[in-house]
Amino acid sequence: MQIRDERDEDAAGISRITAAAFATAPHSNGTEARVVEALRQAGALTVSLLATSADGCIVGHVAFSPVQIAGVAGRWYGLGPISVAPDLQRQGIGGALIREGLARLAELNADGCVLLGDPAYYSRFGFVSDPALTYGGEPSRYFQRLLLRGKVPKGDVRYHPAFDVA
Ligand SMILES: CC(C)(COP(=O)(O)OP(=O)(O)OC[C@H]1O[C@@H](n2cnc3c(N)ncnc32)[C@H](O)[C@@H]1OP(=O)(O)O)[C@@H](O)C(=O)NCCC(=O)NCCS
């Protein structure tokens, strides 16, 4: 498996793998592939990484995009959507994408990263729930952050408007 940045010709493959990964996910609203497309169109895919198999097929993808905290656009980013081919899940591909993505954010001097997801999975990468950062009405246990630099800001987090395609 290799991890690399997305290229122009990857867009359709990324949409396909995103739709496939979320097709059976219980919390999916079916819009994840469109969110990635809308982020790309808006120039808001700050980091967009692919995992590819030895024969070059796309087997996973992760997107990171800027978020606002308490109405302020700073250096915090949201992780997601993240997708791994259904028949290749639980083999470390998602973890490799997350670790590489966080390393890229650190290179970009990001202050931190947030996500909405299962703490049982994301805590292994250093994500923690923090009541200082809220995400609408979502239970704080599922909204997690990873501090890369400085102090944790306080406030409600707003993802890029591309997420509103839902
Ligand atoms: C979530 C996802 C990206 C993880 O990628 P992956 O390659 O399967 O994960 P990894 O192989 O790196 O990690 C596997 C470990 O994570 C755990 N895990 C995977 N998905 C999990 C989840 N949704 N909740 C809790 N634990 C999860 C597995 O139990 C496994 O743990 P173990 O190593 O202790 O057995 C992938 O399962 C996926 O595409 N799911 C469908 C789309 C989705 O739900 N995306 C995330 C939305 S928040």
Side-chain angles (χ1 to χ4, degrees):
M1 189 207 31
Q2 265 200 331
I3 295 187
R4 63 165 173 84
D5 290 295
E6 78 160 50
R7 302 179 193 133
D8 289 347
E9 65 269 25
D10 297 320
I14 291 171
S15 295
R16 270 198 299 276
I17 198 146
T18 306
F22 279 92
T24 55
H27 48 270
S28 169
N29 60 11
T31 62
E32 294 83 5
R34 277 164 52 212
V35 167
V36 177
E37 290 159 10
L39 284 169
R40 184 181 297 112
Q41 245 176 4
L45 274 176
T46 309
V47 177
S48 178
L49 295 175
L50 297 182
T52 58
S53 61
D55 55 3
C57 290
I58 299 175
V59 295
H61 174 257
V62 65
F64 294 83
S65 56
V67 296
Q68 290 191 359
I69 300 178
V72 178
R75 293 185 162 270
W76 279 76
Y77 295 86
L79 185 162
I82 176 165
S83 310
V84 172
D87 54 336
L88 295 173
Q89 290 176 6
R90 308 205 159 192
Q91 296 179 27
I93 296 171
L97 283 166
I98 292 170
R99 288 194 178 89
E100 179 63 22
L102 293 173
R104 296 295 187 90
L105 288 186
E107 282 168 19
L108 294 171
N109 292 325
D111 287 342
C113 183
V114 294
L115 62 81
L116 189 63
D118 190 337
Y121 181 53
Y122 294 103
S123 58
R124 69 190 67 188
F125 309 105
F127 284 89
V128 293
S129 305
D130 182 344
L133 283 178
T134 55
Y135 180 53
E138 295 291 341
S140 64
R141 185 174 130 71
Y142 291 98
F143 192 65
Q144 299 149 71
R145 57 91 175 151
L146 175 74
L147 181 68
L148 293 170
R149 293 194 328 170
K151 285 186 191 161
V152 183
K154 281 188 187 162
D156 202 51
V157 177
R158 174 100 169 79
Y159 279 80
H160 190 277
F163 280 81
D164 298 339
V165 295

